[in-house]
Amino acid sequence: MITHPTAPLRQSGQVAAALLPIVRRNYLPALLVNYVASTAVSGLAATAGATWVWWWFGFVTLVSLLRIAVQRAIVAAVTRGAAISPAREILIAGLGKLAAAASWAVLAWLLLGVADPLVKFATSIVLAGMAAGAIGILSPFGVIGPLYIAILMVPGAIRLMLTSGPDSVIGLLGLVFCCVMIAGHRANRILLLQSVQLGQRNTELMAEILDANQTLENKVRERTETLEHQASHDLLTGLLNRRGLSEQFEKVVARAGTAEVYFLDLNRFKRINDTLGHDAGDYVLREIALRLMTRLPAQALIARWGGDELVVVTPGSAQAEASATVLEKLFSTPYVFYGQTLDVGASVGVACYPQDGQGLEELIWAADLAATQAKRQNSAVPLSYDHSLAIALQRRERIADDIAAGLKQDQFWLAFQPIVAAATGDLHGFEALLRWTHPTLGTLAPDEFIPIAEESNQIAMVGAWVLDRACAAAARWQRGGVRAAVAVNCSVRQLAQPEFVDIVRGALARHQLGAQWLHLEVTESVFMPADDEQTLAVLTQLDALGICLAVDDFGTGYSSLARLRDFPMRQIKIDKSFIADIDGRSRSVIEGAALIARRFALQIVAEGVETEAQATALLSLGIDSFQGYLVGRPVAQPQTAVNCPWLGANAAVAG
């Protein structure tokens, strides 16, 4: 326990033992300084005519030799084992210092009374210096230290005060200085004793630490094991993480010789996080992890590879079929979060060791590739890796790398397909359809390169190019007298651009095309709740410009009557898959779409009209406009002559 600075400090036996080495260490240097100062002052006084000072110097020399002899005798006695306590040895050393101080007091009384100012000045400086040094060197001495300072300073100060003139002021300052030095000595002594007591406390603490060492080692070992577990496991799910799976994989395949690696990429996980919050996403991950751990064979390795990506490694081929069955049924039981059923699924890819790869990273790459293909195919069963997937990936990467160059080099071009009024055959407009003639890969279908542009975040660049070229074409045929609009497909990513409205406005202004002659078609994915605020703001601004907004591929995506009501849409386009099945169950879907359109005052366009029978049936259902091969195929140069056989014989209509 540290003594409070204002509390009285007692020099106990333990404290004295701690102070004694300091006293011994300072004893001879302090004695030497005292003797050198005595020599200097004696020489100066003798030069000024006070030759009697040599008698004083002889006495100081005798006292100094006596002090040295006593100190050596004490040290020798202690070395031989004599019972001299540290406190007694400190007292003897202190008495020697008092003797030295007394000799200086005598000298000060005698010398400060002489007339020589240099002698007075030198003597005062030496006395003050020795008093200042004492506050540190004599800090181990409780009473002797302040007494030493007082003996040094007080006689000389009184001697000066008894004289007239400035010396009396110096004497008074000497008394003040003496008090300050005594206070400084006390402060230094308190700090020294506190340091000693801290050392004693540290010794006690070391003993306590040694006693608790075994307990601490046990805790460290437990903590190390915990950290090692955390370093190899996912904190949220308790599954292995990448490091843990990598460490276990080599052991598993070394024992089994073969293994199946499953890569699970959760579907619609981002939607759950966006709409219900990360608590719902965390619940899904923990629940999936629990099902995997309880249903898969005990030998299986289960890891969380990324945010919504899981990896399962089953050793040997005997467990592969059972594991595949578990993964197929993993999502058959619904996931319910606070009463709300979550639509969760996964695309699963499979790679085999050692056929598809020798290392874990290589196998996961192959399984991930298969999972990506399963997602494109909307497959509910695990899809095995095939080398053709790698070839397809290389092709996709080549296409992604060449999109920007293709736009600059005019490898892309637009084809225009006519849209006509169903009842009259009048030409309403053309849909601009993007085509790509690749220099080495040949003609690429939009169904191939558009998704790649989406995935590689280049769709906004492609969309801006299409918008500009379509507006340019529409402006040309407007100047040629063809009063027809141009319809351009618009990606959801484009709507997410804050500057998209400015891009559209710029294209219209650049080509001097009225906004009423531009139709923008968006898929039903714009109605996703997570995108409402941004999408609605952009669409509202576009509608305010006078642009006709259409829902493309209506019925195939996220349908919501509330969003049709809230969003500024003017037209819906029924997907061609429903038109092809108009004689089947799709007829009721078309009828329902027509009813919805009427309720919301929307125009209806039927895509993919290829036969006269389809056209006749659609006309009877109240469809407003037709688009498809029956009317006209997409061509680079828009054709105003369209084919409308459902209107009667010789029904080629000039636009």
Side-chain angles (χ1 to χ4, degrees):
M1 179 177 179
I2 300 175
T3 305
H4 192 276
T6 60
L9 298 172
R10 294 186 177 181
Q11 189 167 301
S12 65
Q14 289 182 337
V15 174
L19 294 177
L20 182 59
I22 301 175
V23 173
R24 288 179 176 177
R25 185 171 61 249
N26 294 335
Y27 193 83
L28 289 179
L31 185 60
L32 179 60
V33 169
N34 180 76
Y35 191 72
V36 170
S38 301
T39 304
V41 171
S42 297
L44 182 63
T47 303
T51 55
W52 56 263
V53 75
W54 293 118
W55 292 98
W56 176 84
F57 180 73
F59 175 76
V60 169
T61 302
L62 182 62
V63 171
S64 298
L65 292 174
L66 182 61
R67 290 176 61 192
I68 293 174
V70 171
Q71 177 68 13
R72 287 183 175 274
I74 292 174
V75 172
V78 172
T79 303
R80 291 192 304 269
I84 301 177
S85 67
R88 183 179 180 185
E89 185 176 343
I90 292 175
L91 176 61
I92 294 172
L95 293 175
K97 292 181 181 295
L98 290 179
S103 64
W104 276 102
V106 172
L107 182 67
W109 184 268
L110 297 174
L111 286 182
L112 292 177
V114 301
D116 192 324
L118 180 60
V119 172
K120 291 182 178 181
F121 176 75
T123 304
S124 300
I125 291 298
V126 169
L127 291 174
M130 294 179 66
I135 67 174
I137 294 176
L138 299 187
S139 57
F141 301 90
V143 176
I144 291 176
L147 186 59
Y148 175 89
I149 295 172
I151 292 173
L152 275 179
M153 297 296 298
V154 171
I158 293 174
R159 180 64 170 166
L160 290 174
M161 291 174 64
L162 293 176
T163 62
S164 60
D167 288 348
S168 62
V169 177
I170 295 175
L172 179 61
L173 292 177
L175 291 178
V176 174
F177 181 77
C178 176
C179 295
V180 172
M181 292 302 99
I182 291 174
H185 173 273
R186 183 175 185 277
N188 274 3
R189 176 169 172 78
I190 291 174
L191 291 176
L192 178 62
L193 293 181
Q194 287 179 342
S195 176
V196 169
Q197 291 171 339
L198 281 174
Q200 294 172 345
R201 180 55 181 159
N202 287 341
T203 302
E204 297 171 0
L205 289 176
M206 285 298 298
E208 294 175 6
I209 290 173
L210 290 175
D211 291 339
N213 184 57
Q214 187 61 47
T215 303
L216 181 60
E217 287 182 356
N218 292 337
K219 290 183 178 180
V220 169
R221 183 169 56 253
E222 294 172 0
R223 180 60 177 165
T224 301
E225 292 173 354
T226 301
L227 291 175
E228 289 177 351
H229 183 272
Q230 292 176 348
S232 59
H233 288 74
D234 176 57
L235 296 179
L236 175 65
T237 62
L239 301 176
L240 294 170
N241 57 20
R242 292 193 178 199
R243 174 183 171 182
L245 182 62
S246 300
E247 292 172 350
Q248 297 293 327
F249 177 77
E250 297 297 335
K251 302 175 184 178
V252 167
V253 298
R255 289 195 303 266
T258 61
E260 302 278 344
V261 177
Y262 298 85
F263 189 91
L264 286 73
D265 186 4
L266 300 185
N267 299 330
R268 298 173 293 279
F269 184 78
K270 183 178 184 301
R271 182 185 301 177
I272 292 173
N273 272 337
D274 291 343
T275 56
L276 299 178
H278 289 281
D279 287 345
D282 291 347
Y283 159 77
V284 169
L285 289 172
R286 286 193 295 265
E287 184 64 22
I288 292 174
L290 179 62
R291 294 186 187 185
L292 288 172
M293 288 187 289
T294 55
R295 298 179 187 181
L296 285 173
Q299 297 80 6
L301 302 178
I302 312 169
R304 184 184 180 192
W305 191 252
D308 61 347
E309 298 170 341
L310 305 172
V311 173
V312 174
V313 178
T314 56
S317 56
Q319 300 178 0
E321 184 176 351
S323 298
T325 302
V326 169
L327 296 177
E328 288 180 29
K329 297 180 179 180
L330 188 66
F331 303 97
S332 59
T333 304
Y335 294 80
V336 181
F337 180 72
Y338 287 102
Q340 183 165 354
T341 301
L342 305 180
D343 183 15
V344 184
S347 299
V348 183
V350 190
C352 301
Y353 172 85
Q355 303 95 296
D356 299 330
Q358 298 296 314
L360 178 62
E361 294 283 349
E362 186 179 0
L363 289 164
I364 289 180
W365 174 84
D368 186 10
L369 200 57
T372 302
Q373 184 63 22
K375 178 168 289 189
R376 293 195 191 100
Q377 297 177 0
N378 198 25
S379 174
V381 298
L383 182 65
S384 296
Y385 169 78
D386 184 84
H387 183 63
S388 62
L389 296 177
I391 297 175
L393 177 63
Q394 293 175 354
R395 179 181 174 90
R396 292 176 64 82
E397 291 177 346
R398 171 73 182 281
I399 291 173
D401 291 341
D402 291 348
I403 288 176
L407 292 173
K408 293 179 181 178
Q409 298 169 12
D410 288 330
Q411 297 170 11
F412 288 88
W413 54 280
L414 295 181
F416 297 92
Q417 187 173 32
I419 304 171
V420 299
T424 64
D426 293 340
L427 181 64
H428 282 178
F430 297 93
E431 180 176 0
L433 302 172
L434 185 60
R435 300 290 185 262
W436 186 3
T437 303
H438 194 280
T440 57
L441 300 179
T443 302
L444 301 178
D447 290 345
E448 181 178 15
F449 66 78
I450 291 296
I452 296 174
E454 290 269 7
E455 294 171 7
S456 60
N457 292 322
Q458 300 182 83
I459 192 63
M461 174 178 61
V462 174
W465 185 92
V466 172
L467 179 66
D468 184 77
R469 295 298 176 93
C471 288
R476 282 196 303 271
W477 70 57
Q478 290 287 335
R479 290 192 294 270
V482 179
R483 311 295 284 175
V486 64
V488 178
N489 288 287
C490 179
S491 166
V492 176
R493 290 180 182 267
Q494 289 176 270
L495 296 178
Q497 293 178 278
E499 67 275 13
F500 181 64
V501 176
D502 292 333
I503 293 174
V504 174
R505 189 184 288 113
L508 292 172
R510 189 163 47 251
H511 301 291
Q512 297 182 349
L513 179 68
Q516 71 273 21
W517 301 111
L518 175 62
H519 294 189
L520 290 181
E521 299 181 1
V522 295
T523 62
E524 288 177 297
S525 58
V526 299
F527 295 148
M528 286 296 298
D531 303 322
D532 270 1
E533 186 175 346
Q534 167 68 16
T535 302
L536 181 57
V538 172
L539 293 177
T540 300
Q541 294 179 65
L542 293 172
D543 179 68
L545 292 177
I547 296 170
C548 176
L549 301 175
V551 181
D552 196 17
D553 301 332
F554 185 78
T556 62
Y558 186 93
S559 299
S560 171
L561 295 181
R563 279 161 176 72
L564 275 178
R565 177 197 64 197
D566 298 336
F567 281 65
M569 314 309 293
R570 302 186 191 180
Q571 190 180 88
I572 60 174
K573 300 185 74 173
I574 300 175
D575 186 68
K576 60 184 179 181
S577 61
F578 295 109
I579 306 303
D581 187 42
I582 193 170
D583 294 329
R585 300 178 63 181
S586 295
R587 185 182 184 92
S588 59
V589 175
I590 299 171
E591 291 176 344
L595 180 60
I596 291 171
R598 294 291 174 264
R599 293 291 186 184
F600 290 101
L602 300 174
Q603 292 291 310
I604 313 172
V605 180
E607 297 181 298
V609 180
E610 298 184 357
T611 67
E612 186 177 343
Q614 291 173 347
T616 302
L618 291 167
L619 184 61
S620 68
L621 294 176
I623 303 302
D624 298 302
S625 303
F626 293 163
Q627 177 184 347
Y629 287 171
L630 180 63
V631 178
R633 291 179 175 272
V635 292
Q637 297 298 325
Q639 301 295 315
T640 57
V642 293
N643 185 39
C644 302
W646 67 91
L647 296 178
N650 303 318
V653 180

